[in-house]
Amino acid sequence: MKKIVASGKTIEDAVRNGLKELQVAEDRVEIKVVEQPSKGLFGLIGVKEAKVELTLIPEPEPAAADPVAEVEHFVIEVARTMGLELNITRSETKEGLLFALSGSGDLGMLIGRRGQTLDALQYLVNIVANRYSDSHLRIILDAEDFRERRRKTLEDLSDRLAGRVIRTKKEVVLEPMSPQERKIIHSQLQDHAKVKTYSKGDEPNRRVVISLKQ
């Protein structure tokens, strides 16, 4: 802690001089009187000034931002720019912290074609969350149960395409998908007796391939 000794004709003068030197208000210092003022012989010579010690009180550390609250604020503000009013329900899942979005207006705007807008927003909120967090956070965004509906759609698609590969004996290359969606395809067919899956290509055009096992 920073300390200084200031002097003046009176205690008050000494304190004012010290505050001026530190450029702070009186509530930012602790004050200790080092020496009282006194007059010399017959009050004429040898005047002693008052001395005070001022100790600067450290400013309190700003409260750490709550990463979850920051994410909620970010999502709500983004939705408002799209004319949507959101309600957010949070829950813990094995994959991360789930933000289930509901509210008034067309939430399809937040989901986008095959969830592309929702995925992009999810990417951004994870950047926001981890900017304010000391440990890694994984935020999952969902709206109107889109993630579950999409998972079921992809699982059904996987089974149909596996059947096509078996009938035609030709591999099938799917359209580009996000890593999360590719994982659903791989998981659905990983124990299949006759077909296998792998990915090829570079992001964002990486695709799942379904082919016959040798």
Side-chain angles (χ1 to χ4, degrees):
M1 290 186 293
K2 185 175 181 179
K3 296 181 180 181
I4 66 166
V5 175
S7 58
K9 290 182 178 181
T10 65
I11 297 295
E12 292 77 9
D13 287 341
V15 170
R16 276 195 296 271
N17 292 336
L19 294 176
K20 184 177 180 180
E21 181 177 342
L22 290 172
Q23 297 184 330
V24 296
E26 189 169 341
D27 62 358
R28 286 290 321 285
V29 297
E30 293 177 354
I31 302 171
K32 177 182 177 182
V33 177
V34 176
E35 197 170 305
Q36 293 282 351
S38 63
K39 294 182 179 180
L41 185 62
F42 305 122
L44 298 175
I45 59 174
V47 175
K48 294 176 63 179
E49 291 189 323
K51 290 185 179 180
V52 296
E53 181 183 84
L54 303 185
T55 303
L56 189 63
I57 300 171
E59 290 192 79
E61 292 289 331
D66 179 352
V68 174
E70 294 292 335
V71 166
E72 283 198 2
H73 176 73
F74 177 78
V75 173
I76 288 171
E77 288 303 309
V78 169
R80 281 179 179 162
T81 65
M82 302 170 72
L84 304 173
E85 290 295 327
L86 288 185
N87 296 314
I88 299 177
T89 303
R90 301 196 308 261
S91 60
E92 293 282 353
T93 72
K94 63 181 181 180
E95 295 180 346
L97 182 59
L98 173 65
F99 280 48
L101 312 181
S102 60
S104 61
D106 180 13
L107 293 191
M109 295 172 61
L110 273 180
I111 297 172
R113 181 176 179 270
R114 295 178 181 170
Q116 291 178 341
T117 303
L118 193 63
D119 286 343
L121 185 56
Q122 179 173 290
Y123 174 78
L124 292 175
V125 300
N126 276 279
I127 292 176
V128 172
N130 287 287
R131 180 184 300 163
Y132 293 101
S133 177
D134 293 331
S135 57
H136 181 71
L137 286 180
R138 166 91 168 123
I139 306 291
I140 302 161
L141 291 187
D142 198 4
E144 298 180 333
D145 293 324
F146 169 79
R147 300 288 185 198
E148 180 61 24
R149 290 187 285 111
R150 181 64 173 163
R151 181 186 66 79
K152 186 66 169 62
T153 297
L154 290 174
E155 288 176 347
D156 291 344
L157 176 66
S158 301
D159 292 337
R160 290 200 309 272
L161 293 180
R164 181 194 299 178
V165 169
I166 294 169
R167 288 194 309 273
T168 64
K169 295 182 171 47
K170 293 181 180 180
E171 68 178 23
V172 172
V173 181
L174 281 71
E175 65 183 12
M177 293 181 181
S178 67
Q180 295 79 16
E181 293 193 336
R182 295 198 304 270
K183 183 178 178 181
I184 293 171
I185 304 289
H186 292 311
S187 296
Q188 181 68 8
L189 298 178
Q190 65 182 352
D191 297 323
H192 198 286
K194 296 184 178 181
V195 302
K196 63 181 179 180
T197 64
Y198 62 93
S199 294
K200 70 175 184 179
D202 299 320
E203 301 291 3
N205 296 311
R206 195 161 172 78
R207 303 164 182 260
V208 173
V209 180
I210 304 174
S211 63
L212 284 174
K213 286 183 176 178
Q214 299 299 322

